[in-house]
């Protein structure tokens, strides 16, 4: 069985790019005013969905819920002898995240921007993105005017923008839909 731990950080950092996707829903500022906010409810629904999935797959995991930066973060970590590796591939986590978002949207009637992490997959992806950015910056330092990265989710693009800024370079998102990607250049 899974254990669920819930933590809440009421700091709200709103992502304008994703804000247009949640038209008609309560604003993040409104949700932080209530003791049990929309994001807390979203996390609870997502945790229930993931817990059922783990039971079906006969996997044990501890589920942590955190609300921060205007999103619900759901982390599933191995408990005991659990083999969560079967669910922690980047593509699998992305698919599970979308299914979980759909389950939340079905239950709450509102668009969800929740982030799912399985067995530290987000931390691993962060390291992959750092290597990708470092390679692109090396190309720019070798004489390229800019570097176009592969298309990725808005959350991953935000991580890339943060990494690029830490490295003293500039970045912007270009393209539409599934082709939206980050372009890195000198600051």
């Amino acid at each position: 069985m899974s254990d669920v731990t819930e933590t809440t950080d009421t700091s709200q950092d709103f992502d304008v790019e994703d804000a247009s996707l949640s038209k008609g829903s309560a604003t993040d500022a409104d949700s932080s005013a209530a003791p049990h906010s929309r994001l807390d409810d979203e996390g609870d629904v997502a945790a229930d969905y993931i817990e059922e999935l783990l039971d079906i797959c006969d996997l044990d995991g501890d589920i942590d819920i955190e609300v921060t930066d205007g999103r619900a973060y759901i982390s599933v970590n191995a408990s005991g002898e659990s083999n969560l590796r079967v669910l922690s591939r980047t593509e699998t986590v992305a698919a599970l995240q979308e299914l979980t978002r759909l389950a939340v949207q079905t239950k709450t009637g509102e668009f969800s921007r929740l982030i799912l992490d399985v067995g530290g997959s987000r931390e691993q992806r962060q390291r992959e993105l750092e290597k990708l950015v470092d390679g692109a910056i090396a190309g720019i330092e070798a004489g390229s005017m800019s570097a176009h990265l592969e298309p990725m989710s808005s959350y991953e693009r935000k991580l890339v923008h943060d990494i690029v800024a830490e490295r003293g370079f500039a970045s912007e998102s270009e393209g539409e839909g599934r082709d939206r990607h980050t372009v890195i250049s000198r600051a």
Side-chain angles (χ1 to χ4, degrees), residues 5-111:
T5 305
E6 192 169 336
T7 58
T8 303
D9 174 358
T10 57
S11 65
Q12 303 295 321
D13 196 333
F14 201 70
D15 184 355
V16 175
E17 183 173 311
D18 289 332
S20 63
L21 298 175
S22 59
K23 287 191 274 184
S25 64
T27 65
D28 285 358
D30 292 341
S31 355
S32 65
H36 197 73
S37 74
R38 175 184 61 84
L39 292 174
D40 290 326
D41 291 341
E42 191 175 297
D44 291 341
V45 171
D48 289 345
Y49 180 80
I50 294 297
E51 187 169 14
E52 286 181 40
L53 176 76
L54 291 176
D55 287 343
I56 291 169
C57 296
D58 197 28
L59 296 171
D60 289 326
D62 295 326
I63 301 172
D64 295 321
I65 305 168
E66 182 178 344
V67 174
T68 186
D69 296 333
R71 290 182 191 243
Y73 289 82
I74 311 300
S75 298
V76 183
N77 298 298
S79 64
E81 299 289 321
S82 179
N83 185 3
L84 283 177
R85 285 189 312 252
V86 299
L87 299 178
S88 63
R89 288 186 35 213
T90 302
E91 299 83 13
T92 305
V93 173
L96 288 173
Q97 177 174 284
E98 288 309 307
L99 289 172
T100 305
R101 284 178 174 177
L102 287 172
V104 168
Q105 185 173 348
T106 300
K107 182 85 172 183
T108 65
E110 296 186 25
F111 178 80

Side-chain angles (χ1 to χ4, degrees), residues 91-133:
E91 299 83 13
T92 305
V93 173
L96 288 173
Q97 177 174 284
E98 288 309 307
L99 289 172
T100 305
R101 284 178 174 177
L102 287 172
V104 168
Q105 185 173 348
T106 300
K107 182 85 172 183
T108 65
E110 296 186 25
F111 178 80
S112 172
R113 297 181 336 133
L114 73 83
I115 300 296
L116 176 66
D117 178 47
V118 178
S121 60
R122 293 287 173 192
E123 189 175 301
Q124 178 182 341
R125 182 62 175 154
Q126 171 85 22
R127 288 190 302 270
E128 291 171 3
L129 292 173
E130 288 172 354
K131 288 180 184 177
L132 187 66
V133 167

